[in-house]
Every structure is written in C-alpha cells, then in structure tokens.
Amino acid sequence: MTESNDAPTSGPRPVRAPVGTALTCDNWQTEAAYRMLQNNLDPDVAEAPDQLVVYGGTGKAARDWPSFDALLRTLTTLKADETMLVQSGRPVGVMQTHEWAPRVLLANSNLVGDWATWPEFRRLEQLGLMMYGQMTAGSWIYIGTQGILQGTYETFAAVAEKRFGGTLAGTLTLTAGCGGMGGAQPLAVTMNGGACLIIDVDPVRLRRRVETRYLDVVAADLDEAVKLAVDARTAKKALSVGVVGNAAVLVPKLLRMGVPIDIVTDQTSAHDPLAYLPDGIDLPDAPDYAARKPEEFTDRSRQAMAKHVEAMVGFMDAGAEVFDYGNSIRGEAKLGGYDRAFDFPGFVPAYIRPLFCEGKGPFRWAALSGDPSDIHKTDKAILDLFPENESLARWIKLAGERVAFQGLPARICWLGYGERDKAGERFNEMVADGTLKAPLVIGRDHLDCGSVASPYRETESMLDGSDAIADWPLLNAMVNVASGASWVSIHHGGGVGMGRSIHAGQVTVADGTALAAQKIQRVLTNDPGMGVIRHVDAGYERAEQVAAETGVRVPMREG
Amino acid sequence: MTESNDAPTSGPRPVRAPVGTALTCDNWQTEAAYRMLQNNLDPDVAEAPDQLVVYGGTGKAARDWPSFDALLRTLTTLKADETMLVQSGRPVGVMQTHEWAPRVLLANSNLVGDWATWPEFRRLEQLGLMMYGQMTAGSWIYIGTQGILQGTYETFAAVAEKRFGGTLAGTLTLTAGCGGMGGAQPLAVTMNGGACLIIDVDPVRLRRRVETRYLDVVAADLDEAVKLAVDARTAKKALSVGVVGNAAVLVPKLLRMGVPIDIVTDQTSAHDPLAYLPDGIDLPDAPDYAARKPEEFTDRSRQAMAKHVEAMVGFMDAGAEVFDYGNSIRGEAKLGGYDRAFDFPGFVPAYIRPLFCEGKGPFRWAALSGDPSDIHKTDKAILDLFPENESLARWIKLAGERVAFQGLPARICWLGYGERDKAGERFNEMVADGTLKAPLVIGRDHLDCGSVASPYRETESMLDGSDAIADWPLLNAMVNVASGASWVSIHHGGGVGMGRSIHAGQVTVADGTALAAQKIQRVLTNDPGMGVIRHVDAGYERAEQVAAETGVRVPMREG
Ligand SMILES: NC(=O)c1ccc[n+]([C@@H]2O[C@H](COP(=O)([O-])OP(=O)(O)OC[C@H]3O[C@@H](n4cnc5c(N)ncnc54)[C@H](O)[C@@H]3O)[C@@H](O)[C@H]2O)c1
Ligand SMILES: NC(=O)c1ccc[n+]([C@@H]2O[C@H](COP(=O)([O-])OP(=O)(O)OC[C@H]3O[C@@H](n4cnc5c(N)ncnc54)[C@H](O)[C@@H]3O)[C@@H](O)[C@H]2O)c1
C-alpha cells in the first residue's frame, strides 16, 4: 500500500517508553505493547533508533516512521476484545476477537521458500513492503544487551564446565563483534572468571560497551591488547579487552603470532553479508558501497569470512575450543569458498540442547513502572522461589551488581518447564497485591527450546535429522495465541539470515488480574512445553525423562 | 520419535465417519474433528485411502496408520478446554488452553526456506518425520471433488464471460488430469454449456468420474474422442469426453491435427514431478521407477511437461484461451528447458483475483448428521439469505441436481466478506432450533482470498509485487486461532509443491450453542477480512471500495 497523503508526516526523533501508572491505552494489555514498542527504540536500547533498527544487523521494530506512528495510534484505540495485525512492522488491520485473544499478532519478514533470499527480501524492503524483524526487534521484547547476556553467560559456563574444570580463570577467549548481541561476550567471559580479547571494526561499538560496563578496556593497538589479555590469562584475572580492527585480518594474524588462545568464537553480523565488513574496505565507505554494488560486496564479504573462519579452524586444530555463536558465519564462509567451515560445531548442539530438553530458555521480564526497585523485588522473588538452583542464584546476584539497565528495567534468567509458570504467577500476585508499582511484561527470545527451526543454530544436528522441519515454531505460535499471550509473532530469518530460520515469540502481561493469572499459567506452561515435546519427538532421553516426571502428554506413547 | 512398542499395530482398512447424534468424543467441537478426519479417508472421498492419501498427488490426512489411530484416540480424550497439536499428521501434544481456543492446531509439511525442496521433504518423509498435507487433506476439510467443482465452475464461467459472451456453448475445452481436483473440470465445463475433451493416463480415474457423474463418457480412442467432442462443439451441446493417454503426447498431437480447440488448461499432478507421468513410461511401472531413480524420473517428467506446455503455447498462438490451472506446470516446464512456459497466465490473476478483493472464496460446510436432507435445508437457507445473487442461485440449483455427495453430505459456494458470517450464523440457528439433525462444520480451502502466499498461483502478479510475502497466511492462521475457530492449520507446498507456497486453513463448528454463534461471527468475519486487507494493502481499488463500504479498518488510512 502506498502512504495515504493525509497521514501526518513523521520521522526520526528520540523515543522512550512512558513509565508510571497512568494509561495512554485502554488497558494494560495494550499499554504494554505501546510501551514495549517504544522501549525497543529507546536510544539507550536500540543500536540505530533513527533507522528504527534495534539490534542484529538491521532488525527493526517498525517498518518506517509512518508505520511506527500508526502502530502507536492504533494501539491507543484498541479495545479489550480487539486485535491489531502487524505485517512486517506495519499495522494492516484491527479485528474483533475476544478477551482471551492476544491484542497484537505480528508476522515479520516471512517469505515463501523459493523466494526466501536476501536479494528478494531487499527488493521487497526497498519497495516498502517488508522489514527484517530479527527475533525480539520486530516482536517488541528486546531489552538491550542484557537480553543475550544470560544466554552468553550460560554458554561460557558450559564451556568452562566441559573443558576447564568449571571456571574460565586462566583462559583467554578470542571473539569479534561487539554489537547489540555480541557486546554481551566480554562480560559473560569475565563473569565466568576468564580473560577476553574482542575485535570490532567500529570503535564506537567498543566504547559504548565500556560505558555500559560490558567491556573493561579498549586497547590502543593489537600489541597492547595482546599484552593485556595474555597477562590477565597468566594471572588468572578476569579482564576483557577490546581492539579495533577487522576480524578477517586480525584473527589470522593472532593465529600466526601464536598467541595462547583457549576459546574462539565470533558474533560479527555475519548472518547478513552486507553487514559484515570485508577487509580492504573502510568502515565509513561500507554502507554506500553495499548499497551501490550489493553483489560485489557480498562476494568480498564471504571471501573475508572464509579467511576469518579458516583461522578459527586453525585455532581448533591447535587445540582450542571453537564454536559458531549462531551468526551463520560457517555457512557464509562456505559460500565464500572455504571447505572446512563446518568443522567446528554450533553452540546449540555443543552446549545448549541439554537445557532445551528441560524446556529451559531465555525467560525475561520488564517493569512497565520504569522503576528499578520493581526488578529488584522480582530478583528476590526468583531467589525465594528456586532456592535449590545455585547457578540461577549466582546469575541473579551478578546481574544485580553488574548489569546496567537500558530503557525499562528488565531481567532475564533461564527457566525451564514447571518453573516459568511459577515465576509468572508469583509476579502477577506481586502486581495484584501492590508489591510492584505497575504490571510486568513477561516474554522471551525467539531462540528458545520449542519456538524455532534453524538448521545452522537452534536445530543444528538434531538427533533424528529433523533440523529443517518448521512445523514446530508454527505450532508454538498458534498454541501461544490459543493460550492467552498478549502478543505473538512469527518471524523468518532471525539470527542466521533469510532462508535459514523460522521462529516465534510471545509476550504475556502480568497485570495482576485473575484473568491474567490464568493466561500466564497456560502460556508459561505450554510455551516451554513445546520445547519438551519437540525434543521428545526427536528422541532425546532427557526430554523423555522430563515429560515423564512432569506429566507432559505425548499422544504417541499413550493408548 | 520411533513408535513405542506397546502401541497397537494398525494398518489400512476402510474408514468412514460416524454419523448421527451420538457422540464418541466429549463435545461436538472435538467430535467434528474426529468425524472429518475419518471422512477425509472415506473410500468414496479419498483417492488412495490405504496410503492415507486424500487428493492432490500425495496429500495425506495423517502421517501413518499408528498416527491416525493416535489422532482418533487423543480426540476422544480431549476436554473442552484442551488443544491437540498435530505436526505433519502426527499428534505430538495435548495442552490446556480455554474454551475459546481451537481444539486442534495443525502444522503440516513446513520447512525452513533453504531446505524447502522435494528431495529434503522426501528424505524427512522416508524417515517418518513428515507428510505432505496439500491443502484440505492434512487439515481435514476435503469434501471430495465437489470441493473444487465450484471454483472450477466459477473459473470457466469467468472464461465464458471474458471471451465467449457468457456461455461456453459452441466451444471445446481441452484439458488433462482427471484426479481428485482435476476431475471437476469436465462437469464445470458442461455446467457452463460447453464441450470438453479430457486426457488422463489412468483409465481408472476416468471411469471413476463417469460413475460419480463428473464425466459423461470415456472414448475408445483418440479419434472417437475428437469426433464426439468436435460434434458436440458444432451442435453447441454440453458434453464431456475422456480419453486415455499421456498429455505430453496427446496435447502436441491434437495441436498438429488442427482440432478446433477454444480453451486449453491442465490439472495433471504437475506440482510434483514424481507424480506426473513422463511419456515413454507405462503407468504401472511408474511408482517403482520413481522410487528407485527419483532424479532421473524428475528429469524425464520435466522434459515431458516442457513438451506438454509447448503445445499449450502453440494453442495460445493459434488464438485459444490458455491458462495454468494452479498445478505449477509452467514452473516445471521451465525447469524442463522450455523458455516460453510463462507466456500464458495463471488462473488467479486472469479470473479469480477480482473475487478475492471482495473477500470471496471457497466457503464450504458438511453435515455431521450424515443426512443429505440437512444439506438440502442449508441450500434453501442460502437461497433465502442471498436472493439477489443470481449466479449463486444458479450454482446451488445445479449442484443440488448434479453433484453426487461423497462421504458426509457437504456443499460449497463462494461467499465474500459480510456474507460468510451471515450464512454461518444462520446455520448455527438451524442447528440450535432443531431444523438440522446435527451440527455442521464450516470451513474452506486454503486457496482463499487472504490465506495463502503462492507466487505461481494465488498471489501471482500482485499489483505491488508482493507475491512472495508470506506474512499474510501466518497472520490469517493466528487471527483464526484468536477468533475461535475449531481447528486451524498452517501448511507449506500445497497445490504448487515444496518451496512455492505457504497457506492456512480453518474449520469452525456450528453446534448450535451461543458460544459457537459468537465464534462463527468472529471467524467468518475476520477470515475473509484478511482477504480484503491483503488486497487493500497491495493497492487493489476494488478491495479499497469493499473496505470502505463494509467498515473494514485499515490503520494506515486512519489518523
Ligand atoms: N548467539 C545468539 O544467541 C544470537 C542471537 C541473536 C543474534 N545472533 C547473531 O549474532 C550476530 C551479531 O548480532 P549483533 O546484534 O551483535 O549485531 P550488530 O549488528 O549489532 O553488531 C555486529 C558487530 O559486528 C561488527 N563487525 C562487522 N563486520 C566486522 C568485521 N569484519 N570485523 C570485526 N567486526 C565486524 C560491527 O561493527 C558490529 O559492531 C548476528 O549475526 C546475529 O544474527 C546471535
Ligand atoms: N486449481 C486449483 O485450485 C487447484 C487446487 C488444488 C490442487 N491443484 C493442483 O491440480 C493438480 C491436480 O490435482 P489432483 O488432486 O487432481 O491430483 P491427482 O493426483 O488426484 O490427479 C492427477 C491426475 O493426473 C494424471 N496424470 C499424471 N500425469 C499425467 C500425464 N502425463 N498425462 C495425463 N494424465 C496424467 C493422473 O493419472 C491423475 O489422474 C495438482 O497439481 C494440484 O496441486 C489445483
């Protein structure tokens, strides 16, 4: 649809979520969407708010500024039995549903299989017909770098457990990419006691992580960076060091230099070859070059990734623990002509799948009051609810001390089947009895146990070979709609890029009502329940145990 | 998941839906699914019930017989606030939802984009992990050949309108493929007054259509067929003639013979190159050959389609009205090396899209009583409700006279936005007041105005170039879940094959309750409403008019 002429013109401006208890919308369910959409674009949260870009390359919260305005406007008109439909970041309809139904339904970046490519997506994006939703950008539940921090913390903890006796003290981790997601890496490594050297082409990104206390220091040059990092390793000190440079150049160089590196990974924006900077191009020239000659840029970018990944394999051959951190760099390096790209595993089969079998995943919540004390109270509630879970307690404590809030105060922790509903119901009680100043939203990343099909990441190397089956995320979305979530989204291409993933998200508002309690109980049981049945179906024993212990029904085992 | 050993062994057997008013399940919502699943496999309905194949090549209702048994068993245990999850024809979960939620959610044949190919699908199918759901096969609302008859009737009526002064009398239509869908063609042509020559390699298929009165006569050979058909054309008589043979041979031959043919189309199972019989292979040898050498078979099949389509273009060049009837034969012929394959249009942009702009599509219902008189009463109700609609009246009258019921008595007619909800509410009243003997199910094909992305068929040549955007069918599925449909499905690859379509379906049960009335009102408003907003968004004026006249909200036009 072309813009109607009478729509008010609008454009880039600083956006922040309203806070406090006064409602702009009809009720808290829609008010929550109204606030979280704006929170996603808060200058303290989003990577490039003027372009409506939240994180992850070009992951956006709304298609364009007129769509953003229309989203807010429509939310303020929405009644408690109406539902707004959002197609790739633009509101396209309002329909009468009922009070158990979600208030917003979103579908972002979805393309029919044979057309699920970056060139077709970009053609449609340029026509103004689509946007890239990434995972939590287009589904309005990005909460800043903390969102990924817990997952990254869990992953490095699993690495420590597997190879280094439970701690990273005395190890050096090499990685690159210090953006919205990747910026969590240095803090996650130091929280696990290790030293970390992180490369980014963009000095602004590195400095920003220092400001938000995710990164300890930016070195003047590579030599200084290596010295600081190796000294910390030797002294078994937790320290993170940033260095400006191109990973396609510096990673091979560090390999040649023989720097004692124990763990190698990467979170540059490799999922999109136009977002990864090839060597030999200056950062300021990249956007223009990529726009003018996307194919040439793509070729050069894939060749650079081939060099980058070849060096990662070199570290692996030398004995380091090496893994792909979910940005599709192996796939792109392979397209760039490097044959051994898939020699090292993705992080999910290596470290995360055992958690998925228990329905565990990135449970998160944000305080609509805007008051940090609401989150501190929920932190305490979590500790009270799960006293036996030590690593959870350690995380909540460290997070309270070291995580700076961005935008609305929020918290994340990984909880499993039988835990999320408990936490959600407790939170709703705390809203109801006035312990908290205002309602909470409860959501999660699309990277979850039962909500994604992504053969290079979350569903890589499934036991039964079912990596590419996308029925599961679609069932996940539908069952969340059917369970009373406040908004539900289905996206394509998050994390690993076009053609490589389909995934779903849900957010449920704890507004303290009895109805919300019922919805929360269902959504936060069924949503992780999808993870359990998905892994039972694939033949994972741990998932079978969990299903048996918790009474999750598996129809093929009955009768 | 591998079969558990204690599951009762089961296998092919004749299946028929129970009829009457005694419930096997807990309530009519689940009873309806229980009956419709079985109805899909009724020997009078399904093309190959022993293989669980309903129609459309290998479109199945359940993955395998143990899954079929588990589906029925699970439905009998389902409570009024529970939902069964079905992944590619196998029940994988039962979750607590609420009474407004669907009782069944299905996702069939969905694959992540880069893996959305026949070879990957077949690999997964052979592992027992997937099935092909086509459109209404895997979503349990196939009602036999009548299902497509109305669409085919509408299409040929539009052809008559466009080129032949409103009637096909005095014209000869050439087509091929007399299977589950294609079998509707001869009757649709004669209902429009024309002569029809239809080719099928399988004599059994042709004879079956004669038995069910869809085809008038099967000729002994091509010469007799041509004589009968051309004589009927000359005499302006309605007559349909079947002939046994391979379309890749006979269509070119008829072109060379200079037979006076006015309209050419095709409904062989071209969407799946392993289901289209290449020339030079005997029908009985095909399954074994295709299984042993799928790639060689695919090559030969595409080459045969290239010859077939080349002849169709030849007829077009000679002045005939030629169109692709939604089986992807142009795409396959192109892969087979024929460059002009896309010279003739698909039937949707040519004839159907104007209807889609009004939210029109294949509305259908079936009588769970099993009693034909229930359908006759609904026929009358439709005539009473829409007295001003002449073509609808003509269809209902002809259908009552000429359509033989298959399985549960059922009816189809195309209704638009503002009409479907009216019909649905009237039907529910007729159940409530005892006019009908038992509840009805109300559903539709996935080929509908706002439920499908399929760039070679339903969304071919959209005005704004948005053919491949798949957000719409996903929003359609979610809004139907949110509106109270009884079961909702999301499929991939229906009609046109893997990688080429994503689509959604809904079925809603009119059980006579007040709650059902509310659900019906919402679902049958919102479901066609998706068609209106999808076409408004793409810039179709007719859709904009309809939205304006009926008050469909378009957020980007407000404020
Ligand atoms: N593992 C996970 O759970 C997970 C989750 C979401 C996203 N991801 C993926 O991780 C990647 C990073 O996400 P993000 O949100 O941080 O993206 P981002 O766009 O915010 O940051 C990417 C960073 O990479 C840097 N970069 C680009 N090319 C470089 C090069 N050649 N050398 C050095 N630095 C370079 C950029 O300057 C930028 O700072 C994406 O591919 C994303 O899809 C992973
Ligand atoms: N237009 C629509 O609305 C619509 C809807 C659904 C499906 N379709 C498509 O229409 C096609 C037919 O569907 P169906 O349900 O009838 O399939 P079907 O498998 O029941 O029947 C296909 C028929 O084609 C015949 N056939 C195969 N190869 C042949 C050849 N070379 N020459 C002559 N006959 C040959 C087979 O013998 C069979 O009778 C499929 O591709 C389907 O996807 C179209």
Side-chain angles (χ1 to χ4, degrees):
Chain A
M1 192 180 71
T2 47
E3 262 356 281
S4 94
N5 289 328
D6 50 4
T9 51
S10 80
R13 59 192 184 269
V15 169
R16 283 180 206 276
V19 294
T21 55
L23 292 180
T24 307
C25 299
D26 178 67
N27 58 71
W28 275 108
Q29 301 285 320
T30 46
E31 179 77 16
Y34 183 81
R35 294 191 184 187
M36 290 305 291
L37 164 56
Q38 294 179 81
N39 190 56
N40 259 20
L41 292 168
D42 187 310
D44 294 336
V45 175
E47 293 289 317
D50 284 358
Q51 285 81 54
L52 297 152
V53 167
V54 181
Y55 80 99
T58 55
K60 290 167 80 172
R63 198 186 303 174
D64 46 34
W65 286 99
S67 298
F68 173 77
D69 294 333
L71 286 166
L72 293 185
R73 186 176 67 226
T74 307
L75 282 167
T76 63
T77 71
L78 217 56
K79 300 202 191 77
D81 67 347
E82 287 182 331
T83 298
M84 174 172 75
L85 307 184
V86 181
Q87 184 258 321
S88 282
R90 167 168 292 180
V92 293
V94 173
M95 295 185 174
Q96 200 203 345
T97 52
H98 52 78
E99 60 170 3
W100 268 91
R103 298 286 70 85
V104 187
L105 297 170
L106 310 100
N108 288 319
S109 335
N110 296 285
L111 288 165
V112 178
D114 283 0
W115 289 262
T117 64
W118 281 115
E120 174 68 5
F121 171 78
R122 287 207 190 88
R123 190 186 73 79
L124 291 162
E125 191 184 29
Q126 249 147 40
L127 287 171
L129 298 172
M130 287 203 111
M131 72 160 198
Y132 183 45
Q134 261 285 13
M135 292 192 149
T136 52
S139 57
W140 312 342
I141 186 69
Y142 186 67
I143 54 169
T145 309
Q146 185 195 173
I148 205 69
L149 181 59
Q150 159 70 359
T152 316
Y153 168 81
E154 294 269 356
T155 303
F156 282 104
V159 175
E161 205 58 58
K162 182 179 163 199
R163 284 279 301 264
F164 307 100
T167 172
L168 294 186
T171 70
L172 174 53
T173 297
L174 170 65
T175 187
C178 207
M181 303 268 105
Q185 298 175 101
L187 180 52
V189 171
T190 55
M191 277 178 152
N192 276 290
C196 178
L197 176 57
I198 182 162
I199 302 163
D200 200 294
V201 278
D202 187 351
V204 176
R205 299 299 182 103
L206 291 170
R207 278 203 298 273
R208 183 168 193 176
R209 299 307 154 212
V210 173
E211 280 159 25
T212 51
R213 299 164 52 206
Y214 276 71
L215 177 62
D216 293 325
V217 52
V218 180
D221 57 28
L222 186 65
D223 289 337
E224 190 196 42
V226 169
K227 187 168 170 4
L228 287 170
V230 172
D231 284 354
R233 177 180 186 267
T234 310
K236 296 189 195 297
K237 257 186 50 187
L239 179 78
S240 58
V241 183
V243 63
V244 179
N246 193 307
V249 176
L250 295 193
V251 177
K253 190 163 178 184
L254 288 160
L255 179 65
R256 285 195 304 274
M257 287 165 68
V259 179
I261 285 167
D262 307 282
I263 300 160
V264 186
T265 187
D266 177 67
Q267 280 209 22
T268 56
S269 36
H271 69 281
D272 177 358
L274 296 187
Y276 180 98
L277 188 75
D279 50 306
I281 301 176
D282 286 340
L283 185 60
D285 303 338
D288 183 51
Y289 185 1
R292 270 186 310 108
K293 301 190 176 172
E295 274 141 45
E296 185 180 305
F297 195 100
T298 298
D299 286 346
R300 289 187 61 174
S301 166
R302 287 184 173 147
Q303 280 160 28
M305 290 192 243
K307 283 184 259 184
H308 183 164
V309 170
E310 186 176 7
M312 293 174 76
V313 170
F315 278 110
M316 183 190 75
D317 289 343
E321 179 82 9
V322 181
F323 58 95
D324 175 311
Y325 213 152
N327 63 353
S328 225
I329 196 166
R330 291 172 301 166
E332 295 296 328
K334 186 142 198 198
L335 290 172
Y338 179 57
D339 269 354
R340 292 185 59 197
F342 281 87
D343 272 20
F344 54 83
F347 72 111
V348 174
Y351 316 112
I352 302 296
R353 187 148 308 137
L355 305 176
F356 281 176
C357 288
E358 300 175 4
K360 284 209 170 119
F363 184 75
R364 62 178 60 177
W365 60 100
L368 295 173
S369 65
D371 193 327
S373 73
D374 275 1
I375 293 299
H376 299 142
K377 287 177 193 153
T378 57
D379 282 348
K380 183 153 179 330
I382 290 285
L383 294 175
D384 290 349
L385 275 174
F386 308 106
E388 70 297 346
N389 190 334
E390 281 176 34
S391 82
L392 176 65
R394 186 161 150 232
W395 160 256
I396 292 288
K397 204 177 144 289
L398 279 165
E401 286 165 21
R402 303 207 41 181
V403 170
F405 290 135
Q406 297 167 261
L408 292 176
R411 183 65 73 225
I412 179 166
C413 67
W414 279 43
L415 292 181
Y417 186 84
E419 295 176 333
R420 297 194 202 182
D421 57 321
K422 233 184 240 167
E425 286 183 80
R426 182 77 198 95
F427 291 170
N428 197 56
E429 285 163 17
M430 292 166 75
V431 175
D433 68 17
T435 307
L436 303 180
K437 298 212 169 86
L440 301 177
V441 294
I442 305 172
R444 58 162 173 78
D445 196 358
H446 292 205
L447 183 172
D448 195 14
C449 50
S451 58
V452 50
S454 183
Y456 292 152
R457 200 163 86 180
E458 290 86 345
T459 54
E460 176 176 345
S461 305
M462 294 293 291
L463 210 51
D464 61 347
S466 59
D467 309 17
I469 296 179
D471 294 330
W472 300 97
L474 302 176
L475 287 173
N476 176 262
M478 288 197 283
V479 88
N480 280 324
V481 176
S483 299
S486 303
W487 61 96
V488 176
S489 51
I490 302 177
H491 293 195
H492 161 234
V496 285
M498 290 297 143
R500 295 183 182 153
S501 60
I502 295 178
H503 37 93
Q506 66 79 12
V507 179
T508 304
V509 179
D511 62 15
T513 61
L515 181 62
Q518 286 187 283
K519 291 176 175 180
I520 285 168
Q521 193 274 321
R522 281 159 181 77
V523 173
L524 296 184
T525 299
N526 297 341
D527 187 32
M530 287 300 306
V532 176
I533 64 173
R534 201 268 175 265
H535 290 87
V536 168
D537 197 72
Y540 287 90
E541 261 177 50
R542 180 69 191 119
E544 290 173 27
Q545 279 169 6
V546 171
E549 284 162 21
T550 58
V552 171
R553 277 185 69 180
V554 178
M556 292 301 290
R557 302 297 170 88
E558 299 170 350
Chain B
M1 194 182 67
T2 45
E3 262 357 282
S4 93
N5 289 329
D6 50 4
T9 50
S10 79
R13 60 193 184 266
V15 168
R16 283 178 207 278
V19 294
T21 54
L23 292 181
T24 307
C25 300
D26 177 68
N27 58 71
W28 275 107
Q29 301 285 321
T30 45
E31 180 77 17
Y34 182 81
R35 294 190 184 188
M36 290 305 290
L37 164 57
Q38 294 179 82
N39 190 55
N40 260 21
L41 293 169
D42 187 311
D44 295 337
V45 174
E47 293 290 318
D50 285 358
Q51 285 81 54
L52 297 152
V53 167
V54 181
Y55 79 99
T58 56
K60 290 167 79 173
R63 198 186 302 174
D64 45 35
W65 286 99
S67 298
F68 173 78
D69 293 333
L71 286 165
L72 293 185
R73 187 177 65 227
T74 307
L75 282 167
T76 63
T77 71
L78 218 55
K79 302 202 190 75
D81 67 348
E82 288 182 331
T83 298
M84 174 173 75
L85 308 183
V86 180
Q87 183 258 322
S88 282
R90 169 168 291 181
V92 293
V94 173
M95 295 184 173
Q96 200 203 346
T97 53
H98 51 79
E99 62 171 1
W100 268 92
R103 297 285 72 85
V104 187
L105 298 170
L106 310 99
N108 289 319
S109 336
N110 296 285
L111 288 166
V112 178
D114 283 359
W115 290 261
T117 65
W118 281 115
E120 174 68 3
F121 171 77
R122 285 207 193 89
R123 189 186 73 80
L124 291 162
E125 192 185 28
Q126 251 148 37
L127 287 172
L129 298 172
M130 287 202 110
M131 72 160 198
Y132 183 45
Q134 261 285 14
M135 293 192 150
T136 52
S139 57
W140 311 342
I141 187 70
Y142 186 68
I143 55 169
T145 309
Q146 184 194 173
I148 206 68
L149 182 60
Q150 159 70 358
T152 315
Y153 168 83
E154 294 270 355
T155 303
F156 282 104
V159 174
E161 204 59 58
K162 181 179 163 199
R163 284 280 300 267
F164 308 100
T167 171
L168 294 186
T171 69
L172 174 54
T173 297
L174 170 64
T175 187
C178 207
M181 303 268 106
Q185 299 176 100
L187 179 53
V189 171
T190 54
M191 277 179 152
N192 276 290
C196 179
L197 176 57
I198 183 161
I199 303 163
D200 200 293
V201 278
D202 187 350
V204 175
R205 301 296 183 106
L206 292 170
R207 278 201 300 272
R208 183 168 194 173
R209 299 307 154 214
V210 173
E211 280 158 26
T212 52
R213 297 163 54 205
Y214 275 72
L215 178 63
D216 293 326
V217 52
V218 181
D221 56 28
L222 186 65
D223 289 338
E224 191 197 41
V226 169
K227 183 165 173 8
L228 285 170
V230 173
D231 284 355
R233 176 179 187 267
T234 311
K236 296 192 196 296
K237 255 185 52 186
L239 179 78
S240 58
V241 183
V243 63
V244 179
N246 193 308
V249 176
L250 294 193
V251 178
K253 190 163 177 185
L254 288 160
L255 178 66
R256 285 195 303 273
M257 286 165 68
V259 178
I261 286 168
D262 307 282
I263 300 159
V264 186
T265 188
D266 177 66
Q267 279 209 21
T268 54
S269 37
H271 69 281
D272 177 357
L274 296 188
Y276 180 97
L277 188 76
D279 51 308
I281 300 176
D282 285 340
L283 184 61
D285 301 338
D288 183 51
Y289 185 2
R292 270 185 308 110
K293 302 190 177 172
E295 275 140 44
E296 186 180 304
F297 195 101
T298 297
D299 286 347
R300 288 186 62 174
S301 167
R302 287 183 174 146
Q303 280 161 27
M305 289 193 245
K307 283 184 259 182
H308 182 164
V309 170
E310 185 176 9
M312 292 174 76
V313 170
F315 277 111
M316 183 190 75
D317 290 343
E321 178 81 9
V322 181
F323 59 95
D324 175 312
Y325 213 151
N327 62 353
S328 224
I329 195 164
R330 292 172 300 168
E332 295 296 327
K334 187 145 196 197
L335 290 172
Y338 179 56
D339 269 353
R340 292 185 60 198
F342 281 87
D343 272 19
F344 54 84
F347 72 111
V348 174
Y351 316 111
I352 302 296
R353 188 148 308 137
L355 305 176
F356 280 176
C357 289
E358 301 175 4
K360 284 209 170 121
F363 184 73
R364 62 178 60 177
W365 60 99
L368 295 173
S369 65
D371 192 329
S373 72
D374 275 1
I375 293 300
H376 299 141
K377 287 175 193 156
T378 58
D379 281 349
K380 185 158 178 325
I382 289 285
L383 295 174
D384 290 349
L385 275 174
F386 309 107
E388 70 296 346
N389 190 332
E390 280 176 36
S391 82
L392 176 64
R394 187 163 148 231
W395 160 256
I396 292 287
K397 202 176 145 291
L398 279 166
E401 286 164 20
R402 301 208 41 182
V403 170
F405 291 135
Q406 298 167 259
L408 292 176
R411 183 65 73 223
I412 179 167
C413 68
W414 279 44
L415 292 181
Y417 186 85
E419 295 176 334
R420 296 193 204 183
D421 57 321
K422 233 183 240 167
E425 287 184 81
R426 182 77 198 93
F427 290 171
N428 196 54
E429 285 162 17
M430 291 165 75
V431 175
D433 68 16
T435 308
L436 303 181
K437 298 213 168 86
L440 300 177
V441 294
I442 305 173
R444 58 163 173 78
D445 197 358
H446 292 204
L447 183 173
D448 195 15
C449 51
S451 59
V452 49
S454 183
Y456 292 151
R457 200 164 85 179
E458 289 86 346
T459 55
E460 175 175 344
S461 305
M462 293 293 292
L463 210 52
D464 61 348
S466 59
D467 310 16
I469 297 180
D471 294 331
W472 300 97
L474 301 177
L475 287 173
N476 177 262
M478 287 196 284
V479 89
N480 280 325
V481 176
S483 298
S486 304
W487 61 97
V488 177
S489 51
I490 303 177
H491 293 195
H492 161 235
V496 285
M498 290 297 140
R500 295 182 181 154
S501 60
I502 295 178
H503 38 92
Q506 66 80 12
V507 179
T508 304
V509 179
D511 62 15
T513 61
L515 181 62
Q518 285 186 285
K519 292 176 175 180
I520 285 167
Q521 194 274 322
R522 283 159 180 76
V523 173
L524 296 183
T525 300
N526 297 341
D527 187 32
M530 286 300 306
V532 176
I533 64 173
R534 200 269 175 264
H535 290 87
V536 168
D537 196 72
Y540 288 89
E541 261 178 50
R542 180 68 191 121
E544 290 173 26
Q545 279 170 4
V546 172
E549 285 162 19
T550 58
V552 170
R553 277 186 68 180
V554 179
M556 292 302 291
R557 301 297 169 88
E558 299 169 350

